[in-house]
């Protein structure tokens, strides 16, 4: 999200520095690996609308960077708890082309996958190369003279000058902020940077970095695990991405580079990992999770060999209702779009964070600090703590 923001901000001619505590392409956060699902199918009109603009921006990034990041293989949603009919209604309302198929027809179209109820298919779905996208965002931002610093950890955030309030009503965001705000960032390595605005897209480290300064909602960090399985027919066309919600809440997708030379399939349970912190997570795959997914593959994906050939962990940073956090508090833009579904929106989040940094209103009332805190009966402090 930070890389996407750097791309968006430099495209608008802003002077940008990117501070990353680890090295390029590290695997200690949420954005490593070669594949994330992109799709239009959301029951919620806010997110559904956002998927459309995000798709356009992904294509702009591909053109700008001269690289392919999207694989448009289509998307399948099925399982009684996924409610494909409701999703189909949402897609119809948004005029997104789709088909609702009986399970027998779906099984004929995609041999190797199993279905037992209605199946939603839409073409405008597939994968994005997550690590490739981060690299492309930063490469293009660098070409536009962003100052990109790796191994540079922000340790202290110091507000400067007269800082705005977020409004006595508890509303946060642009309303009370004056253009004179600024912030000084001090790094663990002894550097100091001063900026009119700072966008904090710190993923699982957000609470460590901003807690005490910004009235954050509770952000639950959890360690997720993903597995790659070989295809029985490695030269067949890739299947669509699949979200299947039944006894297990799973997703699967063509793995890209991490899927090995034969495009093995990435499979995981959504949000099944235990709580942890960015600093204490152990990076170990839970054998029980491996067993559950292997049994799932045996039952539902007969076109795969039910033996994972690699596995990895990754961090979710989730809000209580899975809505993103995108808001401004004084000169600080808070950007926490994860809850396990943020990747597909990355270039749009970059635009939204840039708008916020430039004084724009929060992109969606539900994403504000105030809205998140209101859910648990808290309000946003009216005064920036100078
Ligand atoms: C297993 C898994 C599967 C997923 N699948 C999908 C999917 O299919 N589709 C989808 O849309 N989304 C998916 N997501 C969600 C998506 O990947 C995340 O929403 C996204 O990667 C979040 O990016 P981020 O920039 O917020 O966090 P990160 O990528 O973790 O970036 C935060 C960065 O901030 C840096 N940082 C933190 N603190 C400091 C500091 N003090 N100083 C300097 N740097 C700092 C960190 O080092 C890190 O590089 C998945 C996530 C996981 C974990």
């Amino acid at each position: 999200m930070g890389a996407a923001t750097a791309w968006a901000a430099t495209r608008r001619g802003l002077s940008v520095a990117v501070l990353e505590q680890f090295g390029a392409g590290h695997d200690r956060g949420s954005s490593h690996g070669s594949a994330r699902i992109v799709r239009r199918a959301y029951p919620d009109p806010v997110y559904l609308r956002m998927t459309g603009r995000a798709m356009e921006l992904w294509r702009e990034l591909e053109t700008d960077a001269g690289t392919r990041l999207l694989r448009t293989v289509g998307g399948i949603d099925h399982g009684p708890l996924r409610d494909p009919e409701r999703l189909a209604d949402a897609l119809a309302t948004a005029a997104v082309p789709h088909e609702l198929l009986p399970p027998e027809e779906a099984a004929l179209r995609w041999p190797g996958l199993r279905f037992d109820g209605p199946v939603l298919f839409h073409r405008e779905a597939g994968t994005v190369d997550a690590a490739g996208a981060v690299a492309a965002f930063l490469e293009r931002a660098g070409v536009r003279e962003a100052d990109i610093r790796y191994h540079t950890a922000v340790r202290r955030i110091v507000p400067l000058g007269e800082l705005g309030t977020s409004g006595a009503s508890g509303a946060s965001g642009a309303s009370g902020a004056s253009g004179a705000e600024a912030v000084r960032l001090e790094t663990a390595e002894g550097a100091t940077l001063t900026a009119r605005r700072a966008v904090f897209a710190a993923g699982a480290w957000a609470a460590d970095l901003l807690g005490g300064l910004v009235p954050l909602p509770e952000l639950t960090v959890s360690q997720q695990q993903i597995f790659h399985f070989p295809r029985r027919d490695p030269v067949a066309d890739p299947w669509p991405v699949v979200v299947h919600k039944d006894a297990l809440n799973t997703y699967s997708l063509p793995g890209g580079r991490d899927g090995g030379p034969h495009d093995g399939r990435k499979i995981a349970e959504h949000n099944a990992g235990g709580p942890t912190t960015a600093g204490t997570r152990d990076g170990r795959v839970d054998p029980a999770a491996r067993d559950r997914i292997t049994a799932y593959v045996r039952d539902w994906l007969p076109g795969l060999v039910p033996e994972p050939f690699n596995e990895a962990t990754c961090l979710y940073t989730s809000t209580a209702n899975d809505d993103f956090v995108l808001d401004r508090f004084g000169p600080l833009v808070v950007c926490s779009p994860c809850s396990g579904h943020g990747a597909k929106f990355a270039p749009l989040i970059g635009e939204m964070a840039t708008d916020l940094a430039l004084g724009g209103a929060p992109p969606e009332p539900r994403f504000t600090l105030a809205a998140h805190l209101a859910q648990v009966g808290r309000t946003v402090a009216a005064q920036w703590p100078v």
Side-chain angles (χ1 to χ4, degrees):
M1 302 304 160
T5 305
W7 181 62
T10 52
R11 288 216 298 169
R12 297 195 207 178
L14 300 180
S15 163
V16 172
V18 179
L19 310 182
E20 165 54 54
Q21 63 183 341
F22 302 129
H26 74 85
D27 63 358
R28 295 163 72 169
S30 307
S31 303
H32 50 287
S34 54
R36 295 285 187 283
I37 290 177
V38 294
R39 58 185 162 80
R40 304 290 320 272
Y42 268 81
D44 182 324
V46 168
Y47 288 101
L48 204 158
R49 205 170 41 244
M50 285 171 60
T51 60
R53 181 68 188 128
M55 286 287 191
E56 290 168 4
L57 288 166
W58 280 121
R59 295 195 176 100
E60 284 182 30
L61 174 65
E62 288 186 321
T63 303
D64 188 28
T67 188
R68 285 287 302 279
L69 298 164
L70 294 176
R71 289 177 78 189
T72 311
V73 293
I76 286 172
D77 295 86
H78 73 117
L81 303 178
R82 186 65 177 167
D83 205 347
E85 286 105 331
R86 180 165 165 240
L87 277 173
D89 287 346
L91 290 179
T93 304
V96 177
H98 63 279
E99 297 167 76
L100 199 56
L101 306 168
E104 304 75 23
E105 195 179 327
L108 285 176
R109 202 190 290 190
W110 298 289
L113 305 181
R114 206 166 77 71
F115 307 97
D116 67 352
V119 176
L120 174 71
F121 174 73
H122 71 296
R123 280 194 314 274
E124 219 183 321
T127 67
V128 65
D129 176 347
V134 174
F137 283 133
L138 290 177
E139 189 267 331
R140 298 318 293 163
V143 165
R144 296 186 179 99
E145 301 192 354
D147 171 4
I148 299 170
R149 304 187 192 184
Y150 294 106
H151 304 291
T152 303
V154 175
R155 279 291 173 267
R156 195 158 168 247
I157 303 164
V158 184
L160 302 173
E162 282 298 311
L163 294 162
T165 66
S166 51
S169 66
S172 65
S175 49
S178 84
E181 297 161 343
V183 58
R184 187 170 76 232
L185 304 178
E186 297 174 4
T187 75
E189 297 71 24
T192 299
L193 287 90
T194 304
R196 287 271 307 282
R197 300 282 191 270
V199 174
F200 292 91
W205 291 264
D208 298 346
L209 193 57
L210 296 171
L213 270 183
V214 175
L216 287 179
E218 187 162 327
L219 296 171
T220 304
V221 176
S222 57
Q223 182 169 267
Q224 307 296 323
Q225 34 238 326
I226 63 103
F227 304 87
H228 285 94
F229 288 79
R231 302 191 303 159
R232 290 191 193 280
D233 179 358
V235 294
D237 286 341
W239 303 316
V241 301
V242 176
V243 180
H244 180 198
K245 218 166 161 186
D246 196 344
L248 289 189
N249 184 359
T250 65
Y251 62 89
S252 76
L253 58 154
R257 277 186 313 283
D258 296 342
H262 301 300
D263 201 17
R265 196 149 174 102
K266 173 177 169 179
I267 308 178
E269 282 174 273
H270 173 60
N271 210 5
T276 186
T277 68
T280 58
R281 56 88 68 93
D282 61 13
R284 279 204 293 268
V285 167
D286 174 7
R290 189 188 303 117
D291 290 347
R292 281 197 303 275
I293 284 293
T294 304
Y296 172 81
V297 167
R298 211 172 277 123
D299 289 346
W300 290 97
L301 300 168
L304 298 179
V305 181
E307 282 173 37
F309 62 86
N310 70 24
E311 54 195 27
T313 63
C314 183
L315 297 176
Y316 276 10
T317 304
S318 302
T319 56
N321 63 0
D322 288 346
D323 270 342
F324 299 155
V325 184
L326 269 172
D327 200 356
R328 185 154 67 81
F329 190 70
L332 312 188
V333 175
V334 185
C335 179
S336 179
C338 183
S339 293
H341 67 124
K344 69 182 69 60
F345 300 103
L348 178 58
I349 301 295
E351 292 291 333
M352 291 173 162
T354 303
D355 287 339
L356 279 168
L358 289 172
E364 161 56 41
R366 275 162 47 191
F367 298 171
T368 59
L369 296 165
H372 282 285
L373 293 173
Q375 283 198 48
V376 287
R378 286 169 57 206
T379 53
V380 175
Q383 189 67 45
W384 169 266
V386 181

